[in-house]
């Protein structure tokens, strides 16, 4: 994995309480010290060390000019990336390839579409991945050509949106034309609450925007269809009747979504099972996790902060059909149906050209059956491209490292808070060493001797922790440079 | 999610038209993602002749996420705990969207035929199972008779 593009910082980073998502990302050491209220000066010292430790290695906070996958992005930047991604997910009728589209129909929820939309669009245009087709709920072999064309004519570009999703109920969205929506947030709220509200409003606004963008694309599609029907002048992006028929007469049911889509489908590399692109982009690595984690519901869950963050792992997705590791697919584009981007205009497509190719295809099949016929028909089998699940989500390594850093910071914070608490109150957590462990802070250092630690030793501990953090961050930044 | 994905509709239909022997699964009237399930104890196992009630729920992200399944009938099994939760790989890390309700229920039935006390969920049961398998099987048989016998 060479250079990992800075794409779509997904929500995993948002849960990080130490990320500066607020607008004012400067002077964080002061504010966090102030928020710790009446704690002794040591608390602020701890915070100061921690902040300078992480902040220093991450590049000066507040200036997010530095690029690269680990660079801390401002809220604005992250939101812009998300909006760009959402725009890439709008299905537009004039962006078509071989009768399919560049964006998914909408069988799966938006927040699961966190693949790299730029990469996927590129793969579709280059015929290395099947396009996203509009699926049919059912298909009947007895349908006539006329019936199929009629059904295809009535297909929408995208699944219908839920007008008022529950999660955004009562969330104000303000004027969508104005990029700034700070006026919707009560300024007297605490900073954390404001941040939470900001993110919620942003999501609600994005949802609404996506809906409007798609509706606009739908309207354009409809208008142009009506125009094309009235006038004799053809719209070159709209499919001919022959194309509609060709597409859907030879489709098949995807074994994962059970929807009927035009072929050819992508095939798993390991076991040659079909999978539609909409389902393929759903197959992803599991979130970073600790190995062999026995999730035993009868036991209290061991806090992640107690484990070494460097033990976190991330494994490539397995094939859903045969569980072979490193799931990847191959795709053979239709030979007689090269329309849309990089092909002939869809309105020009005729079955004539198709049947001619079909014949040659049949010959191709025949010749293939007889072994060792030299492949002079420009069909070298080696040219098949393999698309890995990771190909369309190349940011997995960045995510893994970010998660490791997040855990490292969190455990350090817990240690620091614990240490500073002990400074104020020497008896802190000392009375009930048996049942005091339920406090998350207490568990963190429960194995250490609590009673006779001097201030100096504590200072040392804090310093060590801070240094360890800096080293960790340095390691990341230097390994990044090496790549 | 307002509308039910086609996959769930089709799976439900196929469960009815082409049922799995020894297993029933019927969706709830109010919530088509919630299924009432019965599984017959496999022949030759301590659960033979027992009919076990389970509940199955398809989460929003199904089939990208595994169905949630739980035994409602009390059962003495090292991989099923007192609350009916099941320790089965395909319900957790080895879930695949190519699996279905039908395959999951078959796996659960197979788990009844071959308990795995070395990867326990109910620790006490697993301990008994390892210490004295015969006695544990007797207990399982007794429980099946007690709790999983269909009422006439």
């Amino acid at each position: 994995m060479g250079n990992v593009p800075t794409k779509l910082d997904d929500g995993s980073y948002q849960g990080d309480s130490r990320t500066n998502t607020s607008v004012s990302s400067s002077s964080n050491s002061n504010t966090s010290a102030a928020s710790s209220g009446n704690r002794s000066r040591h608390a602020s010292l701890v915070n100061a060390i921690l902040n300078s430790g992480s902040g220093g290695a991450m590049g000066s906070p507040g200036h997010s000019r530095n690029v690269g996958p680990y660079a801390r992005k401002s809220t604005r930047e992250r939101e812009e990336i998300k909006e760009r991604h959402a725009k890439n997910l709008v299905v537009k009728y004039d962006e078509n390839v071989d009768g399919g589209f560049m964006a998914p129909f909408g069988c799966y929820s938006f927040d699961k579409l966190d693949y790299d939309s730029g990469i996927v669009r590129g793969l579709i245009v280059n015929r290395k991945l099947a396009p996203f087709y509009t699926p049919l709920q059912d298909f009947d072999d007895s349908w006539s050509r006329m019936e199929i064309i009629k059904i295809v004519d009535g297909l929408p570009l995208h699944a219908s949106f839920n007008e008022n999703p529950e999660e955004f109920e009562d969330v104000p969205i303000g004027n969508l034309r104005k990029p700034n929506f700070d006026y919707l947030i009560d300024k007297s709220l605490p900073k954390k609450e404001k941040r939470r509200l900001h993110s919620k409003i942003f999501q609600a606004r994005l949802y609404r925007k996506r809906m409007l963008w798609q509706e606009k694309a739908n309207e354009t599609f409809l208008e142009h269809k009506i125009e094309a029907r009235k006038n004799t002048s053809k719209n070159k992006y709209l499919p001919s009747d022959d194309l509609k028929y060709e597409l859907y007469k030879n489709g098949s049911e995807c074994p994962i979504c059970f929807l009927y889509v035009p072929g050819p489908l992508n095939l798993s590399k390991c076991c040659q099972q079909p999978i539609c692109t909409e389902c393929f982009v759903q197959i992803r690595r599991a979130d970073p996790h600790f190995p062999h984690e026995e999730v035993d519901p009868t036991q209290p869950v061991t806090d992640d902060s107690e484990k070494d963050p460097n033990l976190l792992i991330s494994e490539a997705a397995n094939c859903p059909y045969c569980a072979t590791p490193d799931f990847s697919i191959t795709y053979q584009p239709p030979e007689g149906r090269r329309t849309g981007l990089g092909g002939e205009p869809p309105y020009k497509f005729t079955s004539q050209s198709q049947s001619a190719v079909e014949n040659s295809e049949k010959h191709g099949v025949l010749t293939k059956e007889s072994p060792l016929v030299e492949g002079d028909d420009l069909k070298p089998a080696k040219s098949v491209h393999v698309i890995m699940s990771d190909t369309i989500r190349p940011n997995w390594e960045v995510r893994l490292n970010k998660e490791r850093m997040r855990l490292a910071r969190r455990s350090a914070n817990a240690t620091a808070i614990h240490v500073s608490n002990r400074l104020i109150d020497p008896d802190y957590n000392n009375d009930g060493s048996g049942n005091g462990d339920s406090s998350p802070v207490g568990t963190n250092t429960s194995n250490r001797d609590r009673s006779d630690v001097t201030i100096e030793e504590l200072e040392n501990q804090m310093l060590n922790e801070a240094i360890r953090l800096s080293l960790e961050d340095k390691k990341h930044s230097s390994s990044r440079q090496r790549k | 999610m307002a509308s039910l994905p086609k996959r769930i509709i089709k799976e439900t239909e196929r469960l009815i038209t082409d049922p799995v022997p020894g297993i029933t699964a019927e969706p709830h009237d109010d919530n088509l993602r919630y299924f009432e399930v019965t599984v017959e104890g496999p022949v030759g196992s301590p659960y033979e002749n027992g009919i076990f009630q389970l509940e199955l729920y398809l989460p929003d992200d199904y089939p990208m996420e595994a169905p949630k399944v739980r035994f409602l009938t009390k059962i003495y099994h090292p991989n099923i705990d007192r609350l009916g939760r099941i320790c089965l790989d395909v319900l957790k890390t080895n879930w695949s969207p190519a699996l279905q309700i039908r395959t999951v229920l078959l796996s659960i039935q197979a788990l009844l035929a071959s308990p795995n006390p070395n990867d326990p969920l109910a620790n006490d049961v697993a301990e008994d199972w390892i210490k004295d398998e015969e006695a544990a099987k007797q207990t399982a048989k007794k429980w099946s008779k007690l709790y999983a016998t269909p009422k006439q």
Side-chain angles (χ1 to χ4, degrees), chain B residues 12 25-27 32-37 54-56 58 101:
Chain B
T12 310
E26 275 170 32
L32 295 171
R33 288 176 176 270
Y34 181 86
F35 289 75
E36 285 169 12
V37 176
L54 294 91
E55 58 180 358
L56 182 146
L58 303 174
I101 300 174

Side-chain angles (χ1 to χ4, degrees), chain A residues 107-109 112 137-138 162 253 255-260 279 282-283 294-299 319-321, chain B residues 1-2 6-7 9-11 14 61-64 81 85 92 94 96-100 119-121 123:
Chain A
C107 301
Y108 297 100
S109 70
K112 299 289 168 189
Q137 301 282 305
D138 280 298
N162 179 359
E253 191 183 283
I256 290 184
C257 58
F258 288 20
L259 292 166
Y260 180 89
C279 289
Q282 289 292 315
I283 310 284
E294 226 90 279
V295 187
D296 187 350
T298 58
Q299 300 288 312
C319 168
Y321 303 110
Chain B
M1 272 291 152
K6 192 69 193 174
R7 154 134 185 185
I9 297 170
K10 284 191 182 168
E11 266 198 72
R14 287 170 200 180
D61 286 332
Y62 180 80
M64 292 305 152
D81 74 359
R85 293 177 296 195
K92 286 164 188 163
N94 285 350
S96 144
L99 295 170
Q100 299 181 22
D119 184 20
L121 189 58
N123 284 315

Side-chain angles (χ1 to χ4, degrees), chain A residues 62-133:
Chain A
H63 300 280
S64 35
R65 285 294 114 225
N66 47 353
V67 281
Y70 296 99
R72 207 169 278 198
K73 293 186 205 79
S74 72
T75 312
R76 258 279 287 296
E77 285 172 306
R78 272 207 304 276
E79 289 176 354
E80 275 167 12
I81 290 169
K82 277 189 185 152
E83 249 188 64
R84 233 176 296 141
H85 176 66
K87 272 189 184 150
N88 265 344
L89 295 180
V90 174
V91 186
K92 293 183 179 144
Y93 89 94
D94 52 352
E95 290 180 350
N96 58 58
V97 168
D98 302 343
F101 301 100
M102 311 282 279
F105 179 73
C107 301
Y108 297 100
S109 70
F110 173 68
D111 41 293
K112 299 289 168 189
L113 297 173
D114 53 352
Y115 64 86
D116 188 314
S117 49
I119 290 178
V120 167
R121 289 167 79 93
L123 291 173
I124 291 174
V125 174
N126 291 316
R127 271 80 176 172
K128 290 175 183 168
L129 181 69
F132 294 98
Y133 291 107

Side-chain angles (χ1 to χ4, degrees), chain B residues 107-128:
Chain B
S107 301
I108 291 172
Q109 203 178 34
L111 185 70
L112 294 186
S114 48
N116 179 11
N118 296 316
D119 184 20
L121 189 58
N123 284 315
D124 45 339
V125 179
E127 255 178 61
D128 292 352

